[in-house]
Amino acid sequence: MPDPATEAGLVLTGLDLLGIFVFALSGGLVAVRKELDLFGVLVLAGITGLGGGFLRDLLIGAVPPASLEDWRYLMVPVAAGLVTFWFHPALGRMERLVTFFDAAGLGLFCVTGALKALAFGLGPLPAALMGMLTAIGGGMLRDLLAGRVPVVLRGELYATPALVGAALAVAGVEASLPAAVVAVPAAVVCTGWRLLAVRRGWDAPRPPGVPST
Amino acid sequence: MPDPATEAGLVLTGLDLLGIFVFALSGGLVAVRKELDLFGVLVLAGITGLGGGFLRDLLIGAVPPASLEDWRYLMVPVAAGLVTFWFHPALGRMERLVTFFDAAGLGLFCVTGALKALAFGLGPLPAALMGMLTAIGGGMLRDLLAGRVPVVLRGELYATPALVGAALAVAGVEASLPAAVVAVPAAVVCTGWRLLAVRRGWDAPRPPGVPST
Amino acid sequence: MPDPATEAGLVLTGLDLLGIFVFALSGGLVAVRKELDLFGVLVLAGITGLGGGFLRDLLIGAVPPASLEDWRYLMVPVAAGLVTFWFHPALGRMERLVTFFDAAGLGLFCVTGALKALAFGLGPLPAALMGMLTAIGGGMLRDLLAGRVPVVLRGELYATPALVGAALAVAGVEASLPAAVVAVPAAVVCTGWRLLAVRRGWDAPRPPGVPST
């Protein structure tokens, strides 16, 4: 984790916590819909919220992951899990909520993941990929544990917005813009693209000769 | 791995090997019931026995994991796999045995995992979580590879005893008790709680408004 | 990654790229057969091609993995994914092709994985195991993400040829033979054994008392 006294560090930490919260909500909602119990909800919330960052931290050598040594990072998914557990009926139409939380987490994590990889000395291309992994990793682990093929592979535009959002953030930092200036529009592009893709049913291209499902 | 000449080191190594053996037995039995072949049995025994420790070691930065550089750690799951392979009919009622081995591994690993994380400088909260991960990680990998939703998410008390056992071990060490004194009761609490939960059908609470399955 | 100026380094890099390409083809073909879209194909190609090496690098402490910092390693699975995406109908009988690519990747990766583990100071036994993990890890991740029980556990001779190929490479290097001399025959033994096992329907032994499926 970068020095929290710096502006970039504060932005990173704040966005990270927000991303963890919304991703953990999506994990908790999947767990509720799978009829798991309280601890299944907490575990799935935690893995969805922290899993992408763990995968990124393992690959860039940032161990132990910062989120393990900062109680706020550990309490946020617990809080999200409890919120999901108690208030899921009031949350109403879950399908849309899961999709929205997922898209918001996607946008936040692709940016924070890419910025952290840059801060650990990775080049622009690997940093953008680490941003994408941070964004899609938690959801992939969530889907694997919930016993379904990961959303990211299931024919919807998902990985691309994350990669593009991460690439925008990397490009901005490479152009010497402050991280705080870069982060928000890059995240908005990713989340907005993802939400539009869901709403309009945009699909990534399919292999020629294979019928669309 | 801590200095094996110290008391704590000896206790850790002995319990680790025992935990790996019983967890590997549980992995081997799942493989036999899934009608896998000899190498499927050995692979699943190895991953179940060593997987939780690998995940912990990756996250605390203890790489290469000690178990990779100590042939005893590698031979123990092979032995457990062969025992399962040849003697599974004699092992009789497998359902109960799988449950028992699983609970014993749970108790042993939550303690050794937490103690190792403390030894690598993690704070009390992350160390307790690493203990839980060590305990539930191998079984989660086993279930993922065997194509089923992990036991830990399936509505039985599983993660909680592991977290409480790990927390007890951490609390004992923080209170300056010797690891050897702390380890056994903490493991017994976890294993006993898990076995009671299975026998009495204790369940973790379910989200309000979701029918029990 | 070893110094590319050395002979062993060049051999390792070349074989690594070739192994990544053929494994990524196998991942891409599985994705096409699962009717995933372009990005599903690229993601599955990338994970199959690079996943085994990532697992090895994480466990031996070689982070960030060399493949993340070398654009050739990142472009190779993209190229393989695009080839699969556009030309899969021309690739004709896919079943055989998937099997062949898988066997070729198995042979190449068990050798490069073992040599890299030796280069990072692991002993002979763990180095051979890391070679096997490099070879079977990408395919295991591919199968997990595609929602099927990994091939390696499904009753065909798969892990054994990889372990033997890795052990041969380790034995050769321990006998002071140059890596270039050792690599090819060890890979050929593994790939040939695997292909023969598929063609002749060789199976690993099954537990006594369990009916063959």
Side-chain angles (χ1 to χ4, degrees), chain B residues 7-8 115 118 168-183 185:
Chain B
E7 181 210 21
L115 294 180
L118 284 177
L168 284 176
V170 168
V173 169
E174 293 287 305
S176 305
L177 295 174
V181 170
V182 163

Side-chain angles (χ1 to χ4, degrees), chain C residues 90-144:
Chain C
L91 293 179
R93 280 181 298 179
M94 283 190 195
E95 194 67 39
R96 280 201 177 179
L97 268 172
V98 172
T99 300
F100 176 77
F101 287 138
D102 208 66
L106 198 75
L108 289 162
F109 275 27
C110 71
V111 170
T112 57
L115 294 180
K116 180 160 183 182
L118 284 177
F120 270 77
L122 271 72
L125 179 57
L129 283 169
M130 285 300 97
M132 183 181 74
L133 176 68
T134 310
I136 70 177
M140 284 172 71
L141 293 175
R142 175 199 65 206
D143 291 343
L144 281 179

Side-chain angles (χ1 to χ4, degrees), chain B residues 3-191:
Chain B
D3 181 355
T6 67
E7 181 210 21
L10 278 174
V11 170
L12 264 185
T13 303
L15 287 179
D16 239 18
L17 290 173
L18 186 57
I20 290 165
F21 186 78
V22 292
F23 251 174
L25 282 181
S26 106
L29 285 173
V30 168
V32 167
R33 290 161 67 191
K34 286 265 170 184
E35 305 188 352
L36 302 181
D37 63 16
L38 175 56
F39 295 95
V41 171
L42 291 177
V43 168
L44 217 54
I47 285 172
T48 312
L50 300 172
F54 278 4
L55 292 177
R56 173 202 59 207
D57 286 351
L58 287 176
L59 284 169
I60 67 176
V63 287
S67 45
L68 266 183
E69 309 205 278
D70 184 335
W71 64 270
R72 295 170 303 172
Y73 280 77
L74 299 172
M75 288 304 110
V76 160
V78 170
L82 291 175
V83 164
T84 318
F85 187 79
W86 290 112
F87 300 118
H88 73 90
L91 292 179
R93 281 181 298 177
M94 284 191 196
E95 195 66 40
R96 281 202 176 179
L97 267 173
V98 172
T99 299
F100 176 77
F101 288 138
D102 208 67
L106 198 74
L108 289 163
F109 275 28
C110 72
V111 170
T112 57
L115 294 180
K116 182 161 184 180
L118 284 177
F120 271 77
L122 271 72
L125 179 57
L129 284 169
M130 286 300 97
M132 183 181 74
L133 176 68
T134 311
I136 70 178
M140 284 173 71
L141 293 175
R142 173 199 66 207
D143 291 342
L144 280 179
L145 289 169
R148 58 188 210 184
V149 175
V151 168
V152 73
L153 301 173
R154 264 191 269 146
E156 282 173 19
L157 270 181
Y158 196 89
T160 325
L163 184 57
V164 168
L168 284 176
V170 168
V173 169
E174 293 287 305
S176 305
L177 295 174
V181 170
V182 163
V184 177
V188 166
V189 164
C190 169
T191 298

